[in-house]
Amino acid sequence: METNLWMQLVGEFVGTFILILLGDGVVAGVTLKKSKADGAGWIAISLGWGLAVTLGVYTSAFLSPAHLNPAVTLGMAMAGKFAWANVIPYCIAQTLGGILGGVCVWIHYYPHWQATKDADAIRGIFATGPAIRNYAMNFISEVIGTFVLVFALLAFTRGNFTDGLNPIVVGILITAIGLSLGGTTGYAINPARDLGPRIAHAILPIANKGNSDWAYSWVPVFGPMVGGALGALLFNVLP
């Protein structure tokens, strides 16, 4: 593995870490008892995740393409904009960054877990879950949301954005997906965003936590991968 790739993997790890620390952090602030942001609601969460993505990209783009998302990495490879040989290493680095982000959210809000008795709400800080559990429709929701994400990201590559503006536009895109499409599943639209923190939830001694809902965990992993692939396929057939 060449040195350049190692630095790219560091970038993906760091960027995804920042993404999860700030993204799961806003969910924790809104959800956990005795937090000053308790009850701020879905708009705060959607805006927080949009900003988290923007800042994750800005903090890692000097090292890597700042995909921060295995579905994006797959879509870029399918569109011929990324080397297939690097897809799996990128996905691993992104997931590891997600695990560390989840760990740091737990540390940051440490006293608040004991004050929060709702195990499902605690799990929801780390991992997504369906508003109505219907695996087929939950899967389709993740496919649609990630299709929009990856197709839009690829479309942006044909635009003429001012230097440095692209991460802001990506953050707006994430916010729009969250507000418009996120209410069904919590819009993982990123396997590393869900799997990494879910692993952290499973292994950490979090007060009042329940199970990590592994029965659902395949949806936010495979749904986004399918959605990302479909977004890339549509991009490829357009002139």
Side-chain angles (χ1 to χ4, degrees):
M1 186 179 296
E2 66 268 24
T3 303
N4 185 49
L5 179 55
W6 279 112
M7 295 309 298
Q8 291 177 42
L9 297 181
V10 169
E12 292 298 310
F13 175 85
V14 170
T16 310
F17 162 70
I18 295 294
L19 165 65
I20 298 303
L21 177 60
L22 299 180
D24 281 4
V26 70
V27 182
V30 170
T31 302
L32 292 173
K33 299 304 178 184
K34 300 187 178 179
S35 160
K36 291 182 181 294
D38 183 12
W42 189 252
I43 293 177
I45 289 173
S46 297
L47 289 173
W49 270 108
L51 292 170
V53 171
T54 292
L55 295 173
V57 171
Y58 272 127
T59 55
S60 60
F62 73 102
L63 290 169
S64 76
H67 295 167
L68 317 185
N69 181 340
V72 172
T73 298
L74 174 64
M76 293 295 171
M78 291 184 65
K81 298 181 179 295
F82 186 71
W84 278 103
N86 295 345
V87 169
I88 291 178
Y90 263 53
C91 292
I92 293 172
Q94 292 155 0
T95 303
L96 291 174
I99 293 173
L100 181 61
V103 170
C104 287
V105 169
W106 170 65
I107 294 171
H108 183 82
Y109 283 97
Y110 189 81
H112 295 268
W113 308 107
Q114 188 63 52
T116 305
K117 307 303 180 183
D118 187 340
D120 290 341
I122 288 174
R123 183 180 62 243
I125 292 167
F126 294 88
T128 61
I132 298 174
R133 189 171 294 254
N134 180 316
Y135 288 116
M137 295 310 303
N138 302 151
F139 183 86
I140 290 172
S141 289
E142 289 292 336
V143 169
I144 292 172
T146 317
F147 168 84
V148 172
L149 171 65
V150 172
F151 180 76
L153 291 177
L154 287 167
F156 293 167
T157 67
R158 293 189 176 179
N160 295 312
F161 289 109
T162 303
D163 288 345
L165 182 61
N166 197 52
I168 295 174
V169 178
V170 174
I172 293 172
L173 172 63
I174 296 295
T175 301
I177 292 172
L179 290 172
S180 300
L181 305 175
T184 54
T185 62
Y187 72 116
I189 59 173
N190 180 343
R193 170 267 174 274
D194 191 279
L195 181 59
R198 193 184 297 268
I199 292 171
H201 177 272
I203 64 178
L204 289 171
I206 303 168
N208 295 315
K209 78 169 183 178
N211 69 72
S212 299
D213 195 12
W214 291 107
Y216 179 78
S217 64
W218 65 274
V219 172
V221 171
F222 293 106
M225 297 303 275
V226 172
L230 291 175
L233 287 173
L234 176 60
F235 179 81
N236 286 342
V237 302
L238 293 178

